[in-house]
Amino acid sequence: MRATKFIMTKREGGEHSPEELASFISGYLAGEIPDYQVAAWLMAVCWRGMTGPETAALTEAMASSGDRIDLSGLPHPVDKHSTGGVGDKTSLVLAPLLAACGATVAKMSGRGLGHTGGTIDKLESIAGFRSSLSDREFLEQARSVGVVIAGQSKELAPADGLFYALRDATATVGSVPLIASSVMSKKLAGGARSIVLDVKVGSGAFMKTLAEARELARTMMAIGAQAGRRMRAVLSAMEEPLGLAIGNALEVREAVTCLQGEGPTDLRALCLTLASQVLAASGIARGEAEIARALDSGLAFERLERWIAAQGGDPTSLANLDLAPDQTLVRAPRAGVLSALDALELGQAVRVLGGGRDAKTDPIDLGVGVLLQAKVGDPVAAGEPVATLYHRGGHGLEEALRSVRRALSVADASAPKPLILELLET
Ligand code: URA
């Protein structure tokens, strides 16, 4: 293929055929097309966009660039993807909950970057937990326990790994067709038949407006539907963090309370909505009240313990996770009602305490974080504690305190904002 002609077609706003996209991807993987030509094409896509059929063909080519996991034969293989938020520990709750409801969750997840956390980091705050599994171990555990979450295999959609590194370095991440094809190539290769997308909207999310989130959700759903997957999407608010805990071990502790039928109401509500959507898509018709019984009866928690043990973790350590030893309180500046808890600022606070990374290879401190004592809409007295910072000997504390103080607003009155903004079906 002539890469310059391909780039020029997109630069002029033209449409690529599926064959052209497939040979561009295979030429890049084979080292025949250099990074600088791919980077030029990525920038042309940012400006010109892609049609629906082009985006679907790009996704297929990326999904076919490596291994595909075969989950056929397993009962109701389902998956969930979140576009990333602050305090978002839903996968930790959802995976055992869905398994307790009769579905199979065999999922690959990522690590945190910037102000957002990642499921694999959270799981690694459990003593002994192994996130690196062979294909055989992954499938065997899916079969025997009904739930397995491992780190993203390099063999799954390898074209996406190469593209993503280049996009990161060339300011070409923010494009709906590129984000949608990146996410969905991994989902298609991952083998689940029913997929629910949790597309976050707001200051703490990639997508700042409802219209942008809807466009991304619709694009990903169309790709999935064309590939024969049953797709649902939930658009959910990410102005304030989800739940009260932000930071890896703190979030695992909160997910455990949710699996024991307790914990923050927003976290429980979002997990129940996501669960009912993906179960309905996969043909398991359960109302939210019935799904909630799996949380309240201990069934989902039991499944969590079996899952953690199967991956080498110590389930008894869930009651006593390793948190950073030092704590500093932040108090309400005046009496009133909490009117904002900016998710982006709070995510940044955890990052500077050492709980998040700037570059993919940075080491992180799994025990640091921020634990909120109130949510937007709650009344507070002057000087009442509203957040506790968990830190290690004051590392990053001054900057984190500044972020937390900027994140907080107290007003005379404020109503809680809706969490679930829209449900979408194909
Ligand atoms: N997450 C992904 O996997 N890909 C993107 O492009 C953005 C977020």
Side-chain angles (χ1 to χ4, degrees):
M1 93 161 322
R2 272 192 51 220
T4 43
K5 182 161 177 286
F6 183 81
I7 299 164
M8 211 179 301
T9 300
K10 189 45 71 187
R11 192 193 72 192
E12 301 304 318
E15 187 170 354
H16 301 303
S17 70
E19 295 74 26
E20 286 167 343
L21 284 159
S23 40
F24 185 65
I25 298 286
S26 60
Y28 182 40
L29 273 178
E32 291 156 8
I33 301 175
D35 278 355
Y36 53 81
Q37 286 188 308
V38 178
W41 177 76
L42 290 167
M43 188 57 86
V45 171
C46 282
W47 282 98
R48 292 297 195 169
M50 293 183 106
T51 63
E54 258 183 322
T55 312
L58 172 65
T59 311
E60 259 318 318
M62 284 162 67
S64 301
S65 66
D67 293 347
R68 281 179 182 261
I69 299 173
D70 182 5
L71 300 179
S72 57
L74 293 171
H76 301 283
V78 298
D79 200 354
K80 166 254 176 185
H81 177 81
S82 158
T83 57
V86 176
D88 183 7
K89 66 283 290 175
T90 50
S91 288
L92 302 177
V93 177
L94 214 54
L97 175 61
L98 292 168
C101 292
T104 304
V105 182
K107 182 170 172 53
M108 296 211 176
S109 286
R111 294 186 184 277
L113 197 58
H115 72 282
T116 60
T119 301
I120 293 300
D121 294 325
K122 292 171 199 178
L123 286 167
E124 287 182 353
S125 63
I126 303 168
F129 188 89
R130 277 198 314 128
S131 59
S132 179
L133 301 180
S134 69
D135 291 357
R136 203 180 53 75
E137 287 173 316
F138 184 82
L139 282 173
E140 173 45 36
Q141 190 179 315
R143 203 165 286 121
S144 58
V145 186
V147 46
V148 54
I149 298 186
Q152 199 75 49
S153 150
K154 288 203 170 39
E155 315 308 323
L156 206 80
D160 175 61
L162 292 176
F163 263 53
Y164 197 86
L166 208 48
R167 287 168 59 207
D168 215 15
T170 55
T172 53
V173 170
S175 145
V176 165
L178 296 179
I179 297 172
S181 55
S182 163
V183 169
M184 289 305 297
S185 63
K186 290 172 284 199
K187 295 287 131 186
L188 297 187
R193 306 309 301 174
S194 307
I195 301 165
V196 65
L197 306 169
D198 179 10
V199 181
K200 307 283 191 192
V201 189
S203 70
F206 250 126
M207 299 288 134
K208 305 293 179 201
T209 68
L210 196 55
E212 287 172 331
R214 206 181 280 132
E215 186 193 352
L216 178 62
R218 285 275 176 221
T219 306
M220 292 194 285
M221 290 169 82
I223 295 169
Q226 181 146 343
R229 312 302 162 99
R230 292 175 293 264
M231 303 294 301
R232 300 279 176 114
V234 176
L235 307 189
S236 68
M238 185 37 72
E239 297 292 346
E240 64 178 324
L242 186 66
L244 296 164
I246 316 151
N248 296 288
L250 283 168
E251 291 189 39
V252 172
R253 196 173 73 168
E254 188 167 87
V256 167
T257 62
C258 186
L259 284 160
Q260 291 170 329
E262 292 159 16
T265 50
D266 60 342
L267 173 62
R268 178 176 164 106
L270 182 59
C271 289
L272 291 176
T273 302
L274 291 167
S276 69
Q277 290 297 311
V278 77
L279 288 174
S282 82
I284 303 177
R286 299 237 178 147
E288 284 190 19
E290 206 179 333
I291 300 168
R293 274 201 288 282
L295 291 178
D296 300 332
S297 65
L299 262 186
F301 181 68
E302 240 170 64
R303 194 64 72 117
L304 170 80
E305 291 184 308
R306 278 177 58 201
W307 160 36
I308 298 303
Q311 281 184 246
D314 173 8
T316 62
S317 76
L318 291 170
N320 193 19
L321 292 161
D322 209 4
L323 298 176
D326 304 304
Q327 293 165 27
T328 298
L329 294 178
V330 175
R331 297 174 185 278
R334 70 170 179 98
V337 177
L338 262 188
S339 55
L341 278 168
D342 186 81
L344 184 57
E345 289 284 6
L346 291 165
Q348 300 291 13
V350 175
R351 187 181 59 77
V352 298
L353 289 173
R357 49 174 81 78
D358 294 319
K360 271 189 176 169
T361 47
D362 290 348
I364 58 170
D365 186 336
L366 299 169
V368 298
V370 175
L371 187 62
L372 300 169
Q373 267 88 44
K375 296 280 288 183
V376 169
D378 287 349
V380 288
E384 181 182 331
V386 285
T388 306
L389 277 64
Y390 284 72
H391 57 95
R392 217 170 283 275
H395 173 80
L397 183 61
E398 285 313 310
E399 197 181 338
L401 280 168
R402 281 195 292 277
S403 281
V404 174
R405 290 195 184 110
R406 275 196 302 269
L408 289 174
S409 304
V410 179
D412 292 334
S414 175
K417 310 234 164 57
L419 173 67
I420 311 288
L421 304 173
E422 252 173 59
L423 302 180
L424 304 178
E425 275 184 45
T426 43

